[in-house]
Amino acid sequence: PGGGRNDALVGQWVLAGGVVVVVAAALARGGLRRSGAMRAALLGTAAGLLFGLVSALTKGTVEILADEGLAVLGDWHVYALAALGFAGMTLTQMALQTGVLPPAVATTSLVNPATSVVLGDGEPGRVSDSAGDAADRSECVLPRTISESAVGYRLCGAISMRGSSGHRTKTA
C-alpha cells in the first residue's frame, strides 16, 4: 500500500496471491509424485508459500475486524485467509506424514517468512505497490534467510541420518 492506504489494492492481491498459489500448486503436484525427503521438502515449501500469503492477509483482516467489527464477515480477506490457511495446513500435514521431518519442517518454517518478506517490506500484511519496492526492502533479509536455511537444512539432514552411535544409518 501507499498514499495512506493500509492495504494493497485488490488487483495487487490477485496478482501476488495468484503467483504464490500457482507456484505452491506446482510444488504440491510435484511433491505428490515423489517420495521421501523430496516429497516432504516440496510439500513443505508449498505450505510455506501459502502460510506466507496468510501472514500477509492477516494484517488486513485484523484491521478490518478492529475498525468494523463483524463487517469483516462481508470482506474477501477473511475467506481468502480461511481457505489459504486450510490449504497450507493440509499441505503441512501431508509433508509431515512422509515421516521425514527435517525437510518438511525446515522448508515450511523458512519459506513462510521469506514469502511474507517478498510480498511486502518485512511487515506481514503490507503488500508493496511494486515488485521493486518489495525487493529493495527485502534485499538484506532474504539472502540471509536463504543461506541460513541451506545451512540449517544440511545440519538437520546430517543429524537425522546418524544413529545414536554417531554412525550413518540407512534411510528410506
Side-chain angles (χ1 to χ4, degrees):
R5 291 190 330 256
N6 287 328
D7 196 18
L9 300 172
V10 173
Q12 291 171 318
W13 278 115
V14 169
L15 178 62
V19 169
V20 170
V21 168
V22 166
V23 172
L27 288 167
R29 185 172 183 200
L32 292 174
R33 295 177 179 197
R34 308 261 179 342
S35 63
M38 182 59 74
R39 180 182 184 111
L42 290 171
L43 292 172
T45 301
L49 285 169
L50 294 181
F51 283 139
L53 186 53
V54 164
S55 295
L57 282 167
T58 298
K59 182 176 184 268
T61 304
V62 171
E63 286 178 356
I64 294 167
L65 178 63
D67 294 342
E68 302 174 30
L70 291 179
V72 72
L73 297 175
D75 190 83
W76 67 270
H77 285 84
V78 73
Y79 300 104
L81 184 64
L84 291 166
F86 178 79
M89 187 57 68
T90 301
L91 289 171
T92 298
Q93 291 304 309
M94 292 170 70
L96 294 172
Q97 285 176 349
T98 65
V100 188
L101 299 182
V105 173
T107 55
T108 302
S109 298
L110 295 165
V111 172
N112 175 353
T115 301
S116 185
V117 167
V118 170
L119 287 176
D121 63 357
E123 177 184 331
R126 183 176 182 275
V127 176
S128 300
D129 285 330
S130 70
D133 186 38
D136 290 344
R137 291 191 175 122
S138 63
E139 66 186 359
C140 296
V141 176
L142 197 54
R144 194 178 102 211
T145 302
I146 292 169
S147 65
E148 288 173 359
S149 68
V151 170
Y153 179 74
R154 284 278 189 210
L155 289 173
C156 289
I159 291 167
S160 71
M161 294 176 68
R162 296 193 180 273
S164 58
S165 65
H167 299 290
R168 285 182 75 89
T169 58
K170 290 184 179 180
T171 58

